[in-house]
Amino acid sequence: MCGIIGYIGSHQAVPILLDGLRKLEYRGYDSAGLAVAGSGGIQILRAAGKLSNLEEKAYGTAMPGMTGIGHTRWATHGAPTEANAHPQVDTAGRLAIVHNGILENYASLRAELRAAGTELTSDTDTELIAQLLGREEGPLLDRVLRILPRLEGQYAVVAISADEPGELVAFRQGPPLVIGVGDGEMLVASDVTALLSRTRRVIFLEHGDVARLSLDQVTVFDGAGRKVERAVETLDWDAARAEKGGYRHFMLKEIHEQPDAVRNTVLAYLDQDRRGVNIEGFGLDPGRLQKIQRVQLVACGTSWHACLVGKFYIERLAQIPVDVDYASEYRYREPLLGEDTLLIGVTQSGETADTLAAMELGKHAGAPLATVCNVRNSSAWRLAEARLLTQAGPEIGVASTKAFTTQLVALLLTALALRKIRGFEDDVDVRLAAQLQRLPLALAKTLETPDQVYHRGVDLLTATTDALYLGRGMLYPIALEGALKLKEISYLHAEGYPGGEMKHGPIALVDDGFPVVAVAPRTPAREKLLGNLREVQTRGAAILAVAEAGAPGFEGLADLILPIPDVDHFLQPVVSVIPLQLLAYYVAVELGLDVDQPRNLAKSVTVE
Ligand code: G6P
């Protein structure tokens, strides 16, 4: 994901910016750039691809200046080209900005600027911010305050101006920014990793803050230009921890990256006006797809759970029958497969041996072959004719989190694309496209639940060695995924079951204090699940429920509610899994286990 670094001080900025960008590399990116404000105005250097490309250019270019900004960009919309890389400048070339996040009113701002005769040189929303600033007059800080009401969406921005080379202005709404307070110098970055080699004294900017940095002073304002106080904190983190962006584990960091990852995946496959899916983006041949009679999903592990939800999505929205198979079983069951079946391999890594083998089988049988994959140019990517890239960025924790939620979103988008190809003419895709754009906010809200709530859940789960996870309909796979997360990293035994099936066996396990985790957001079937829960409660179960805070029917039934916001039914699987990831995480931490590298497991299983 994108990274930001800014510097103002008494040293040459370029080597310090490059060092900061190196530290941000772990986030994943596909182009990079930097800009310096010096006596001759603003100088910019950008390069597609690896940071070494930018470094090579920088060695050959004199860029004197002690104020500068740098960026690593992970392209979402707008290809990873030099023109789309940051920094972006205004037409006059007097100011430059770097930006993380996405402007939601991109289309209307772009149209407005174009109508006003502004020539745009990139496909980015970032350039629009630079151009808006360029149209204002006066000091940079005042210009920023004036354009803020025009910006809808999520952003962390750092700006420099040729007219005030002794200043940086940073502002955020959504993505983080942290200021490093150095000795006669100031830095600003998207995470502390990039600052630690120069200072440990930091100021975390809050949502809505605007900060002006000079080489010896930081002043922070709210959006209305009133001064606000922000404390300087001294970090004692070691370097390894800092690489996790301040989180204790990669898994926790990745859980928190889900709003961004999901947003990026959604936006990558919506059409220009964001009112429906962009079929061309999938690379599918609509003519060939119109002939398909069935969809076959193959995957392993967490990706297989995503497929189980995907079956609901595709059958409901595109009205095409779907089969889901473990890739390791599929290849040996002599499946009936031909040109009328669209085979989709769902794989985070794109390197899982069984999934690749199942895809090969499809290829030889002449089936149209697609993949939902998180790694561009991986083996699955190269094997498939149609590809949908989940925009989760690198996932380091072995227990998959953000890869899973982006797979769910990708499969929902696939279902909408197939629906369109099948000729359904109504506004379902417009409605779901709008819901999908609000989904990151619902995920962010879910992540705001205080840790203490989970600690009560940890007490219930660690008091025993087994747990049962229940769900119904498209939330049953989420029960499976919740149970898998707990197993993978806490080594406690957990099973996922459909609520209605629970009486046919697992209920025998239930006695005093036996934990039952219910995935129970508002659905027409919730009453039935509540009935299942009453059955285990009378046998002594301790009940934890994922549901909307204050939802009816849980009083006197659930020992603990893990709250989620009320969202569209199709999006409930994505939101409901978050509390289960966190619950498993906190249990593993409590048990003192290696969360990121659990015993016996591998991130990518490249052997059969
Ligand atoms: C391994 C990982 C799981 C993952 C599975 C499938 O078992 O530990 O987290 O779900 O492989 O991986 P893939 O890369 O194909 O999605």
Side-chain angles (χ1 to χ4, degrees), residues 300-303 346-350 352 355 398 400 407 488 602-603 605:
C300 302
T302 287
S303 300
V346 178
T347 166
Q348 185 280 129
S349 61
T352 301
T355 306
V398 165
S400 188
Q407 283 169 346
E488 282 179 317
K603 184 70 194 155
V605 180

Side-chain angles (χ1 to χ4, degrees), residues 499-578:
E501 190 63 17
M502 185 267 310
K503 280 202 282 290
H504 302 286
I507 198 166
L509 297 171
V510 178
D511 60 4
D512 260 354
F514 183 90
V516 174
V517 183
V519 190
R522 179 185 55 83
T523 63
R526 176 148 77 186
E527 262 313 310
K528 303 221 177 297
L529 186 59
L530 287 172
N532 303 141
L533 294 179
R534 282 191 280 275
E535 288 157 3
V536 293
Q537 186 191 36
T538 53
R539 289 159 178 89
I543 295 171
L544 297 81
V546 175
E548 306 79 32
F554 290 94
E555 314 81 3
L557 181 63
D559 294 76
L560 178 64
I561 297 284
L562 301 171
I564 53 166
D566 193 3
V567 294
D568 186 280
H569 186 43
F570 282 101
L571 305 182
Q572 285 172 341
V574 191
V575 176
S576 300
V577 77
I578 307 281

Side-chain angles (χ1 to χ4, degrees), residues 310-331:
K311 174 180 167 74
F312 278 88
Y313 288 162
I314 296 169
E315 290 191 342
R316 291 240 182 119
L317 291 167
Q319 306 272 302
I320 307 173
V322 180
D323 289 315
V324 179
D325 274 66
Y326 285 119
S328 54
E329 290 294 312
Y330 188 71
R331 57 195 290 198

